[in-house]
Each structure stands twice: as structure tokens, then as C-alpha cells.
Amino acid sequence: MTGSLLQIDNLSVPLPKGADRPFAVQDLSLTLNRSEILCIVGETGSGKSLTALAAMGLLPKNLPRATGRIAFEGTDLLQIPEAERMHLSGRRLAMVFQEPIASLNPVYRVGDQVAEVIGLHSDLSAAQIRQRVLDLFTEVRLPDPQALMRAYPHQLSGGQCQRVMIATALAMDPALLIADEPTTALDVTTQAQILQLMLDLRRQHGTGILFITHDFGVVAEIADRVAVMRHGQLVEIGPAAQILRDPQADYTRQLIAAVPRLDPRPPGRSFGAAVLAATGLTKTYHTRTLFGASRRVEALSKVDISLRRGETLGLVGESGSGKSTLAQCVIRLVQPDKGDVVIDGGTFTGLRGRALREARRRVQIVFQDPYTALDPRQPIGRAVAEGPLIHGLPRAEAWARALDLIAAVGLDPASAKRFPHEFSGGQRQRVCIARALAVRPDLLIADESVSALDVSVQLQVLELLAEMQQQFQFGMLFITHDLRVASRICDRIAVMRRGRIVEEQATQTLFADPKDPYTRDLLAAVPGRDWRDGPRHKEPADG
Amino acid sequence: MKSMQRPGLPVLFAGAILFASVLVALVGNVFTPHAVTDQALLSRLQPPAFMGGQAEFPLGTDRIGRDMVTRLVAGLQMSLSVALMGTLIGAVFGTLVGFAAAHFRGLVEEALMMLVDFQASLPFILIALTLLAFFGNSMVLFVILMGMFGWETYARLARGVVLSARAQPYAKAVEALGAGPGRLYGLHILPNIASALIVQVTLTFPQIILLETSLSFLGLGIQPPNISLGQILGDGRDYLSTAWWISVWPGLLIFLITLSMSILGDALRDRLDPMLKTRTS
């Protein structure tokens, strides 16, 4: 309970020559006490993950040597020989990564993988190890631990895999747990459970947790203290309450201001004519194994949605709820089994060949990952001009429209001849929006379009979308897993679960008075929702 | 990110050899004093000049006194152009099949891929011998035959990379813009998968040279009065113990060219293959 568990002094991790800055982590000093949760917050490229990797001795081998001191229980982890550190890691310090499914070996049973760690670091008998694994699985609250021990990773959900990873990390009852974005890849309800699990661990075992995240909501849920990093440097460190409510540094203030809040858009905007009417959309996937056993997944079952000009309909749901399938059916990148899509009064579902290609102008999509959504070998100006060209605009006019749009989305028209890899993620997403808008669509589908972006960029892109909607009056189908984002931009929200819409309401009504129990669960799971509204109910650090 | 490493010594060497071969094939016969068919019966089976032969025939002469240098240049011309044509035909045809399979899916894909499997499980040399036996040997037929070699690898490769490229969001975005298949495949997918195909070309080219050589060696390939390296090699068969140079020079050339092409192909793959690229960066 006393003294620091991990003390980092003047840690610098140099980058190889030719990188965008000389140090990935520069002159970083911080301490983590026993049974304390310290959150390191930062945006992409802030060096927060490398700090964690440095502590675990897992820095990429192609980086120059790190300098400074990382003292763990008095031992400098940077100085001790490899063998000694390997002995420590797994035993006294353990790590949980972002991608739980990728961190497990797919060809071994999960029980055996946890047992392996225990076997490596102790001389328990096989039966004792089995018992220990069972205890751990029970402790991380995996359902039916007996049966799950014999399961393979692909048979578990993402949340269950992360629980197995946490069980592995806890196998030797470490003093320090480093968690690198452990909940980022999970659904909100699962995330809430994992965060609760972390809090319980700290209370029961006194584990010190170094928790790396980009999400201030998560920080508000679990952090005792917060360190904010930017460009490899520590911006500010302090108790969670102080950082969250009264940040000192400008950068922290900007970050916190950019965090999407549950801030339902007020009703009362007026909309134009109906632009989308989808009725009875149904899509069933059949997966067949090698031996003919087939599994039916109802991705969509009899879904109806409608949308008017200038209106934004949010589709909210967890992974596998069918929200992306719905979008792909509306835009006909996937053919629905049943149901009709009517866009602007014209049927869209029955069209084929040339007629379909003509009609595609009316509905456009912006994808989640801006890094794969642009042809890497096409300059961005040509990407934006391509749609108008396809639909018969003369070359010069198409180019002029592309330049206009590039300027409208906040990029320099002079950069039109540059290739996608020369732009940042947020800039690329702007290009994608420009490309979609270049054909003057009546309906724009934003499929998790801001999910892959940093919060500050997220906010800008959301504002851009709203502004463009104001200007062009298209209907927008906004798909997201993040209720906070949805609340800000959507006029109505439809909550999806298992291929059905469980509840559809005007945004304000939905947040004020959710009818469906699942909606209530989703709302309750939003991280950090109490943070701005009232005092936080959190366990004291010493439990 | 784009730190271009200097190519290593073997790669430079391979490049130099290929460049020199092409140059010799293009302009070499300008400098040779003899015509390909000139016979000098008094100078039959002359050893190379540096082994006591005549200065007039630097690399020796064959069994009817024809200059080896002249014949090698002509053979090189023929071998390279046949291999080039063959590679091109195979690459274009195979790639088209692959694109078609990936575009149509379903029955078309299964039929095409069945054809690919069919081709892949027949020894090509047997097909070649059968066709040549039935249809006789003509230059056109021979080149087409070379083109048939290896198309199935292109088809398989192209189908795979096209399928994965089509699943990329950028391809879907282009489709959603209303682009037809021509624009989608020609302007977006082909440039993005071209590197994989180019690497494959460098792998098939040496194989085709070897195939042409083997067939010509057996007397089933390029027929006189045309000359190819394999044919010269075959000519020297009976004289290996007395006039080794007739076979060794063309053999050496074939060896150097195929080896250089393979080295260049490997280097290209290291540079172009996205899988390997992410590993080194």
C-alpha cells in the first residue's frame, strides 16, 4: 500500500532516423503506486503504447535503445539482463493487449494457454494448475468455466477472449498489470463489464494497473490518476478528479472538450421530402462447414426504416447487430433476400446493370477506415472527380467540382494531385466525404465514419458532416456503436439488436425515456456518463 | 517511409547481364562479319580463339564451320523473343481468366478454376510433345504453345488478388459511385495488383526459356533455318567430348539469363510484395 510500484524516470525512446520526430517517448517521468489505477491518455502517435511496451521490455527491436530508468519494485527494468526480465514478466508484471482474439493462439484450447503460463512460472502439479485455471476463469467471471477451458479462441466472443487474456495476466498474481486499450475493440456493454472487472481486481488483489486508453469516458470510470501524453511527452499528470474537471494544460482542455458527450440534439428541425423508404429488408447468411453442417445467421429480419431530406437517422447497435448489413443492403453492395428499398420515390432494389449504375448516384457511403477507403494509387482530386465523370460530367467541370468540394471539406485544393498516403486519417476521411458528395447524393450513409479517428478529429469530422448536410440537404443514415456520437448528430435513433430494430425514437426521447430494456443497458454502459452530470460513484483506492 | 535501399551486388550483376543480353540480341549481328548460314568447311570444329583457334572465329566454329558468335547472337535473338512473346501471351490470357473468375463467381468461376486445375495437373512437356506431333511445327504454333505455359499460375494468382482487392473499401466505394466493371478493374484494381503479376512474370520467364530450350534440344522446337540457343545446344550433343564449345556457350548463356531473371524477380518481389513490405518497415 505504501511506496511506488513502478517509477519511470526520464524515459526516452528514440525513433530511427527519418521518422517524423526524433523521440517516440521523450523525457517521461511518472510513478504508479500499489493498488492504484493510472490511466495514460493520448491520441494516436502520442507514445502511450510504446511507454507500456518499454516497461514490458517489448519495444520493437529495430528501435534504438531506450534511455532513462524504469524502476519496478526497485529494479531497473532497462538494466537487468533479458533472462531476469523474462522471469519477472508474467510473474510480477503482466500485460493485456487491445486485440484479445489476436493475442490468443488459435490452435490451442484457451484453458491450456492459461495453464502454460502457470506451468512456466511455478512447479505446481497438473491437477493443481487445472484447479488454478478454473479459479481464475471463475474470478474473471467467464460463464461455465469448466466447459470454456476446453474451448478454442474462435468459439469465444471478443469479451470472453479478453477475459481469458486477463486471466492469463493474473495467473501469477502480478503486482503490476499493464493494459493497452483493453476495451477499445469491445462493445460498450462488454467494455463496462471489463472495466468493472478491473476495479474488482484492484480491490481484491491490490494490483497496480497502468491503463492505456484514448477514451476519457473510460478514464472517468476507472482512473485514480491520469497522465496525458502528446507527441511522446507528458502534458500533465494528476488525480483523475482534477484532470477531468479542472485540467491545467490547454491540450488537455481541448481533448476533454472534444470528447463526445451525451448531448441529444433537440427536436424541431424541419425536413424535406422522403428520401429513403426501406421496407421488410431481410438478409440471412448461411455458413457451411466442410462437413455440410450449415448455420443460419439472420443478419437482418424484416427491418423498416425511412428518412427525409436533411434528416439524420442514427443506427446504433453492438457488433453483429446487423447495422452494417442494413447499410450495405440499402446501398446494394449486398443484395437483400427480401424487402424493398425506395430512394427518392424510385425503386432501387430491382435495378440491374446500367440502370443500377445510374441510380447509384443517389446514395453514397463513407466507410469506417479512411486508410483503405481510398485507392492508394489514385490522387485524391481524381478520386473526388471520378463520380461526376462516371455520371457524364465533362472532364473540366468534374475537376472544378472536385476542387470546390476539396476546399469545402477543409483541405487545400492545391493538394488535389497528391496521393492518399500523404494525408492523415482525418484528412483522408474528409476526402472520402468529398468523394461521396461529388455526385450530389440524396442519401449519405456514414458507416462508423468517425470511429477510427482520434476524438479531436472525430469532432471536426462530425461538424463537417452536419455542415455539409445543411448545405446539400441530403438525408443521412449514421451508423455507429457510440451512443455519445449518435446523440450529437442524429435527429432520430434506431437501436438494433440481432438483426431487428428494437426501438426507434427521436433522439431526445430515446435518451430521456428509453422503452426497451436493451436500450437501457446500452445507455447505462456508456463510459463516463456520470462524469459531467454529477459526482462519480467509485470505490476508494484502498478498498 | 520511402527509403529506397540501394540494390545489392547480385541484383546489379543480374541487371547488367540481362541488359547486355538484350543489347547483344538487338544489335549484336551488326558487328559479326559472318552471316548465320556462312559455312567454312575448311575451318570445321575450330576451338575458340583463346584456345588455339582462329582469330576470325573468337568462340570457335561448329561441325560445318559456322561462326559460333554469329550463331549465338541469332539464337539469343530467337530465344529471347520467343520467351517474351510466350510470357506475354500467358500473362495476358491467364490474368484475363483470373479476372473473369473473380468477377462472375459462381459457375463461371468453378468452370474456369476447374480448367486451371486440369492444366496444372498435366505435365506440360507432354502436352507440348502431343500438340507438336499432331499439328507439326510452325513458328506461330510454337509461340502459342509457349504462351500456354504457366497461364494457370497467373489465373490462380489474379483471381486471388482480385478477390481480395474487391473486398477493399475503396473498390466498394468506386462500385457505389456507379462505376462499371471496366473502370473498376482497369483503373482501380489492376494498378493495385500489378506488382504481384509483374513478380510472377519474372518467375515464368526463365521457365519458358528453359522449356523452349528443352524442346529445341529435342529437335521439336525452333526448326532450322531459324536458330535458338537450345537448338545450338542440341547440335553440339554429338561433339561434347571433342568440341565442347558448341554446347557450352549456349548453355552458359541460358544459365546466366535464367539466373539473372530469377535474381531480379526475387529482388522485385521483396520490393513490391506488400506482405514483405510491412514486415521490413
Side-chain angles (χ1 to χ4, degrees):
Chain A
M1 190 63 251
T2 52
S4 61
L5 178 66
L6 182 76
Q7 179 158 10
I8 298 179
D9 292 321
N10 307 100
L11 174 72
S12 288
V13 181
L15 282 172
K17 277 197 201 94
D20 57 343
R21 58 178 199 250
F23 289 97
V25 177
Q26 190 173 6
D27 207 18
L28 175 77
S29 302
L30 50 87
T31 54
L32 171 69
N33 295 323
R34 281 178 205 282
S35 74
E36 181 184 50
I37 300 182
L38 172 65
C39 280
I40 301 188
V41 198
E43 296 191 294
T44 314
S46 60
K48 54 189 196 303
S49 286
L50 277 177
T51 308
L53 291 176
M56 286 300 288
L58 292 174
L59 281 178
K61 296 277 178 257
N62 59 352
L63 289 188
R65 270 187 71 90
T67 56
R69 221 171 89 88
I70 302 179
F72 171 69
E73 294 182 323
T75 325
D76 186 352
L77 294 175
L78 290 178
Q79 299 301 328
I80 57 174
E82 186 81 17
E84 202 177 321
R85 204 192 49 232
M86 285 183 51
H87 183 70
L88 269 178
S89 59
R91 220 179 153 78
R92 300 294 297 152
L93 32 89
M95 186 155 180
V96 180
F97 295 93
Q98 174 173 355
E99 286 291 341
I101 297 169
S103 320
L104 287 165
N105 188 331
V107 302
Y108 293 111
R109 299 178 193 281
V110 291
D112 295 346
Q113 297 190 45
V114 183
E116 187 189 1
V117 178
I118 304 176
L120 266 177
H121 290 289
S122 70
D123 37 18
L124 297 176
S125 72
Q128 284 171 313
I129 291 180
R130 221 186 112 71
Q131 187 55 46
R132 178 89 182 103
V133 174
L134 201 59
D135 292 345
L136 282 167
F137 276 24
T138 317
E139 182 172 1
V140 296
R141 279 181 242 123
L142 278 164
D144 196 1
Q146 281 284 3
L148 273 189
M149 280 174 65
R150 299 189 47 77
Y152 288 96
H154 71 268
Q155 295 170 315
L156 306 183
S157 69
Q160 287 171 338
C161 282
Q162 196 58 290
R163 281 165 201 267
V164 172
M165 283 312 295
I166 293 174
T168 314
L170 294 178
M172 298 314 296
D173 203 359
L176 171 64
L177 178 67
I178 298 176
D180 186 1
E181 306 253 12
T183 59
T184 307
L186 305 176
D187 286 326
V188 271
T189 50
T190 322
Q191 165 167 291
Q193 292 161 9
I194 297 280
L195 293 181
Q196 187 56 47
L197 179 63
M198 294 256 167
L199 287 171
D200 293 350
L201 288 177
R202 189 267 302 272
R203 197 182 57 218
Q204 283 157 17
H205 297 266
T207 319
I209 301 179
L210 192 64
F211 195 104
I212 290 162
T213 182
H214 66 278
D215 187 338
F216 269 100
V218 171
V219 173
E221 288 291 317
I222 66 166
D224 299 315
R225 285 195 305 139
V226 184
V228 182
M229 283 185 73
R230 184 194 200 186
H231 300 324
Q233 284 164 321
L234 186 67
V235 174
E236 154 162 44
I237 185 168
Q242 181 240 310
I243 299 273
L244 290 174
R245 293 181 196 289
D246 182 25
Q248 301 302 309
D250 286 342
Y251 177 66
T252 317
R253 259 182 237 132
Q254 282 169 27
L255 269 188
I256 290 182
V259 173
R261 23 175 130 196
L262 275 182
D263 183 13
R265 203 182 220 191
R269 300 198 310 140
S270 60
F271 309 119
V275 62
L276 165 71
T279 43
L281 283 181
T282 302
K283 177 79 190 173
T284 313
Y285 287 106
H286 297 270
T287 51
R288 201 177 293 162
T289 63
L290 196 58
F291 302 105
S294 92
R295 212 163 66 99
R296 288 176 79 239
V297 180
E298 279 214 324
L300 281 184
S301 89
K302 302 202 196 85
V303 172
D304 304 331
I305 48 169
S306 64
L307 195 59
R308 287 183 294 170
R309 270 185 187 281
E311 186 186 25
T312 303
L313 171 64
L315 275 181
V316 176
E318 307 199 316
S319 47
S321 62
K323 54 191 194 305
S324 280
T325 308
L326 178 55
Q328 305 241 319
C329 281
V330 167
I331 200 172
R332 283 201 60 189
L333 288 173
V334 165
Q335 307 305 326
D337 298 335
K338 265 187 241 150
D340 291 309
V341 177
V342 175
I343 289 173
D344 254 351
T347 8
F348 192 48
T349 16
L351 301 178
R352 301 178 133 272
R354 177 171 290 278
L356 172 63
R357 291 202 289 273
E358 290 288 333
R360 281 196 185 282
R361 188 191 67 73
R362 300 173 184 282
V363 43
Q364 286 299 308
I365 190 163
V366 177
F367 291 101
Q368 170 171 6
D369 180 5
Y371 289 88
T372 53
L374 290 168
D375 182 345
R377 293 181 190 262
Q378 187 181 39
I380 61 151
R382 281 190 26 213
V384 178
E386 181 156 24
L389 273 178
I390 292 172
H391 293 282
L393 216 63
R395 195 161 287 273
E397 279 177 51
W399 187 252
R401 186 187 284 187
L403 292 184
D404 281 351
L405 270 165
I406 288 173
V409 297
L411 296 173
D412 181 6
S415 61
K417 291 220 160 87
R418 287 163 54 188
F419 286 88
H421 72 257
E422 300 174 55
F423 296 87
S424 71
Q427 289 172 325
R428 285 187 219 199
Q429 203 59 299
R430 287 168 189 270
V431 176
C432 292
I433 292 172
R435 174 177 63 186
L437 295 181
V439 292
R440 304 269 190 269
D442 304 312
L443 173 63
L444 182 70
I445 297 178
D447 189 355
E448 299 274 11
S449 303
V450 298
S451 307
L453 306 173
D454 283 327
V455 276
S456 54
V457 184
Q458 203 172 51
L459 187 69
Q460 294 162 8
V461 173
L462 280 179
E463 279 166 359
L464 174 67
L465 279 171
E467 188 186 310
M468 290 287 127
Q469 189 181 33
Q470 198 67 42
Q471 192 178 339
F472 295 107
Q473 287 297 309
F474 48 81
M476 180 153 66
L477 195 55
F478 191 89
I479 297 170
T480 182
H481 65 278
D482 191 333
L483 280 169
R484 296 171 293 183
V485 171
S487 74
R488 305 197 61 154
I489 192 163
C490 301
D491 300 299
R492 272 185 302 143
I493 292 183
V495 179
M496 285 194 76
R497 187 188 199 194
R498 301 207 184 117
R500 292 166 198 275
I501 291 181
V502 296
E503 180 165 9
E504 187 181 330
Q505 297 277 7
T507 305
Q508 223 163 28
T509 328
L510 185 95
F511 283 97
D513 182 21
K515 294 275 184 300
D516 191 84
Y518 178 66
T519 314
R520 275 183 234 139
D521 286 351
L522 271 187
L523 279 173
V526 171
R529 62 194 304 263
D530 309 331
W531 154 33
R532 288 197 173 90
D533 311 329
R536 223 147 40 102
H537 308 290
K538 200 167 73 73
E539 300 144 82
D542 45 4
Chain B
M1 190 178 120
K2 280 222 160 170
S3 62
M4 277 289 184
Q5 298 150 301
R6 280 173 57 93
L9 203 61
V11 178
L12 288 176
F13 180 70
I17 287 194
L18 279 183
F19 180 73
S21 316
V22 173
L23 196 70
V24 166
L26 285 178
V27 299
N29 51 3
V30 177
F31 300 99
T32 48
H34 306 276
V36 182
T37 45
D38 277 359
Q39 304 178 4
L41 291 176
L42 290 178
S43 311
R44 294 166 67 230
L45 299 176
Q46 285 292 325
F50 58 88
M51 290 188 58
Q54 302 165 353
E56 197 186 343
F57 307 109
L59 295 179
T61 61
D62 68 359
R63 67 194 152 87
I64 43 177
R66 291 176 295 195
D67 177 31
M68 283 305 293
V69 175
T70 317
R71 287 180 64 74
L72 283 172
V73 169
L76 191 64
Q77 257 173 6
M78 179 58 76
S79 289
L80 281 183
S81 44
V82 166
L84 199 67
M85 295 278 285
T87 314
L88 278 183
I89 294 174
V92 171
F93 178 65
T95 308
L96 282 179
V97 169
F99 269 81
H103 176 68
F104 292 109
R105 306 302 307 261
L107 273 180
V108 177
E109 182 183 24
E110 285 192 23
L112 287 175
M113 286 301 119
M114 189 76 86
L115 213 61
V116 165
D117 291 337
F118 205 68
Q119 170 84 73
S121 43
L122 282 172
F124 190 81
I125 196 96
L126 272 187
I127 304 179
L129 291 179
T130 315
L131 285 181
L132 289 172
F134 270 95
F135 297 105
N137 197 326
S138 76
M139 199 61 191
V140 177
L141 178 70
F142 190 69
V143 169
I144 292 177
L145 195 63
M146 294 299 107
M148 277 176 62
F149 177 83
W151 70 272
E152 78 276 5
T153 38
Y154 291 102
R156 267 198 191 135
L157 177 75
R159 173 184 162 273
V161 289
V162 170
L163 281 180
S164 70
R166 276 203 62 170
Q168 292 283 326
Y170 71 81
K172 288 188 177 169
V174 170
E175 197 186 340
L177 279 175
R183 176 176 280 270
L184 175 66
Y185 292 113
L187 254 53
H188 293 279
I189 292 192
L190 188 61
N192 278 290
I193 65 163
S195 55
L197 296 174
I198 291 171
V199 169
Q200 186 58 38
V201 164
T202 65
L203 295 179
T204 358
F205 186 80
Q207 290 175 316
I208 291 193
I209 289 200
L210 290 181
L211 178 72
E212 178 268 316
T213 315
S214 320
L215 286 173
S216 300
F217 179 84
L218 295 174
L220 293 162
I222 304 293
Q223 299 297 321
N226 292 320
I227 311 170
S228 85
L229 291 177
Q231 190 198 2
I232 308 177
L233 194 81
D235 267 356
R237 197 164 26 185
D238 299 335
Y239 301 88
L240 267 180
S241 52
T242 49
W244 53 264
W245 52 90
I246 305 179
S247 294
V248 166
W249 295 135
L252 196 67
L253 269 181
I254 294 165
F255 165 72
L256 283 176
I257 291 174
T258 49
L259 179 70
S260 311
M261 202 68 194
S262 298
I263 291 176
L264 268 193
D266 269 358
L268 261 184
R269 171 155 51 182
D270 287 350
R271 185 148 291 187
L272 298 179
D273 193 327
M275 296 293 282
L276 293 168
K277 199 190 279 174
T278 51
R279 210 175 300 164
T280 48
S281 71

